[in-house]
Each structure stands twice: as C-alpha cells, then as structure tokens.
C-alpha cells in the first residue's frame, strides 16, 4: 500500500516571525501516523525551516529548481544547493510556473532531470485549465505533460517521482474536483506512466486543487489518491493538520 503524502506549498508567503510560529506548530504536531508530511517555503526561508524542523519527522521541500547544475545563471537555484539546505522534495512544473512564467513541458522535464540527478524527489505537477476540460481535452493535456517527462528521463529513475494532479480551474478558486473526477484522472495518470514503462503502482499521485479540511477525507478515500499538494490551507496549522489527519484515517 502506498504511504500517504501531504505537502504544504507556501507559495509567495511568509516572514521570519510568521514562519517561526507556524513551523513551531508543525514540528510539535506534525507527526501523524501513516502519513509523510513536508513543507515547501520560499527559497529565502529554507534555512530557517530546515533548522526548525531538524530532528522532526516533517520533511523539507522547495518550490522550484533550476535545470542547470552551476554556472552563469543569475537568479537560479540548483538541486545541489537545495540538498545542501536539507531538502528532500522539490515541486516542479506547478501550474503557476507554467502559466505565469512560461515554463514549457520540455523545460519542466529538464528540471525533473536536474532534481533527480541531485538526489531530490521531484513532485511533478500536471493538470488542465477549465477551457481545456470543457472542450474534452483534459486527458490529452495531462498525457502530453507526462510524456515529456517520461521521454526525457532514464526509466530506472522514474519510480522516484511523485506526481501531483492539479486541475488549474480548482487552484485558489474554491472549486474542487469531485472525488470521482479526481480519482478518474489519477487512474489515467497511472495508466500513462505504465504505458511509458514506469512501475506506476509504486508512484504516489497527489491531488492539488483547493484541498481543505472539509473535502480531504473524501478525496483520500479514493483508491488512487495518495495524498495532497496543499496551497493556502497549509498556511494555517489547524487546517493543515486536519488534512494530514484525514490522510491518516484514509490509510487505516
């Protein structure tokens, strides 16, 4: 049985003072039976988060990684640097990176390769927009995003991936895919990975799209939903803990 994983994506939020309070709560209350938990603060706060979480079961992740290992790439942060800061996970290809910063499928694949080369576990985000879903192209969009990664990476490394399905129309909108919609896409993702030669039964696939304490358990009870990539709800400890506890209940 795949172990549940809940990842908090803080996005462009935080300050030293706010982080101290939140991380203190996460450290003291973030151990939930049967669930792996990680937080992904902005780059400037990774050292603070790593120090405060040291010795706890909560893992550290970053929100992005460079496709380059080193060199004259001003503003970039490499996978090796993230490992030096204690990161285990890194989010790659989030819909905001794709839509706001122009990241292509090939660029995302390059970043996945760089993350794996550094020893990180990439959380590869895929998902469709509302118009793409309404036009019946959701599966085609997700398949294309996955195929770019599978084609570019050594097949022996791909079982280290985590995939996050994030319907773009449900991010920050208050809308959420129904458990049935999410499960259907998770099954499709697992099938796509299998067609590419990946042992997809062992790959954790998370749901990310306005996950909160109220809808988490219904989502996690679906067979192929292995956890969540949580945005705004990860900034308030009580809500984040409730999501982690829902994952634990679904694991029993």
């Amino acid at each position: 049985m795949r172990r549940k994983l809940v990842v908090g994506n803080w996005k462009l939020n935080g300050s030293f003072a706010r982080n101290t309070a939140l991380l203190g709560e996460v450290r003291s209350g973030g151990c939930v039976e049967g669930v792996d938990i990680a937080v992904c603060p902005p780059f400037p706060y990774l050292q603070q988060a790593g120090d405060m979480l040291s010795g706890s079961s909560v893992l550290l992740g970053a929100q992005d990684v460079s496709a380059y290992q080193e060199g004259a790439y001003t503003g970039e942060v490499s996978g090796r640097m993230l490992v030096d800061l204690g990161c285990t996970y890194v989010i790659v290809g989030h819909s905001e990176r794709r839509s706001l910063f122009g990241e292509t499928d090939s660029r995302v694949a390059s970043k996945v390769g760089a993350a794996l080369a550094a020893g990180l576990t990439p959380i590869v985000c895929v998902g469709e927009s509302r118009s793409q879903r309404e036009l019946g192209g959701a599966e085609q969009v997700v398949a294309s995003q996955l195929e770019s990664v599978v084609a570019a990476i050594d097949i022996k490394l791909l079982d280290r991936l985590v995939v996050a399905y994030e319907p773009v129309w449900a991010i920050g909108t208050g809308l959420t895919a129904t458990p049935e919609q999410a499960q259907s896409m998770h099954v499709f993702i697992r099938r796509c990975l299998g067609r590419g030669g990946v042992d997809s039964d062992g790959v954790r696939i998370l749901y990310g799209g306005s996950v909160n304490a109220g809808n988490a358990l219904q989502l996690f009870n679906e067979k192929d939903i292995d956890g969540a990539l949580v945005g705004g709800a990860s900034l308030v400890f009580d809500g984040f803990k409730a999501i982690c506890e829902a994952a634990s209940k679904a694991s029993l």
Side-chain angles (χ1 to χ4, degrees):
M1 186 175 180
R2 293 178 298 273
R3 185 176 170 92
K4 290 286 196 289
L5 170 64
V6 177
V7 180
N9 176 16
W10 291 11
K11 303 191 179 184
L12 187 59
N13 294 288
S15 68
F16 282 123
R18 287 171 59 192
N19 301 348
T20 297
L22 178 56
L23 289 165
E25 291 178 310
V26 170
R27 179 186 171 89
S28 62
C31 180
V32 179
E33 184 179 357
V35 181
D36 292 331
I37 299 171
V39 295
C40 298
F43 286 139
Y45 302 126
L46 287 174
Q47 183 73 61
Q48 178 195 24
D51 289 345
M52 288 195 65
L53 296 174
S54 178
S56 78
S57 62
V58 181
L59 299 170
L60 185 64
Q63 297 178 20
D64 192 19
V65 64
S66 177
Y68 306 105
Q69 296 298 330
E70 61 181 2
Y73 304 106
T74 301
E76 293 286 276
V77 178
S78 73
R80 176 182 54 78
M81 295 172 184
L82 297 179
V83 171
D84 280 348
L85 286 166
C87 289
T88 298
Y89 295 102
V90 61
I91 300 169
V92 183
H94 191 281
S95 62
E96 292 158 2
R97 297 299 313 173
R98 294 176 188 265
S99 64
L100 299 177
F101 301 99
E103 291 194 2
T104 63
D105 290 347
S106 61
R107 172 59 63 178
V108 170
S110 296
K111 289 186 173 189
V112 171
L116 288 167
L120 294 161
T121 296
I123 301 170
V124 184
C125 298
V126 298
E128 79 284 359
S129 68
R130 185 168 186 170
S131 62
Q132 288 166 334
R133 173 167 280 272
E134 289 174 347
L135 291 170
E139 290 188 349
Q140 182 179 353
V141 170
V142 170
S144 177
Q145 292 168 340
L146 286 170
E147 287 164 2
S148 293
V149 172
V150 172
I153 307 299
D154 185 336
I155 194 68
K156 295 190 293 294
L157 300 177
L158 286 173
D159 61 356
R160 287 170 48 194
L161 294 180
V162 172
V163 176
Y165 168 57
E166 42 164 22
V168 179
W169 48 271
I171 299 174
T173 64
L175 300 174
T176 308
T178 66
E180 294 77 18
Q181 285 174 319
Q183 166 66 8
S184 175
M185 185 60 83
H186 280 231
V187 170
F188 176 74
I189 289 169
R190 213 171 290 285
R191 192 181 308 132
C192 284
L193 292 172
R195 285 201 301 262
V198 182
D199 179 11
S200 60
D201 286 339
V203 174
R204 291 192 284 190
I205 306 176
L206 314 181
Y207 175 76
S210 296
V211 180
N212 56 53
N215 60 31
L217 184 57
Q218 282 185 302
L219 289 162
F220 297 155
N221 277 334
E222 297 292 339
K223 178 182 177 182
D224 288 278
I225 299 179
D226 302 317
L229 179 60
V230 185
S234 68
L235 299 172
V236 179
F237 175 69
D238 288 345
F240 187 58
K241 183 174 177 63
I243 294 169
C244 295
E245 289 174 341
S248 180
K249 290 177 184 176
S251 299
L252 298 177

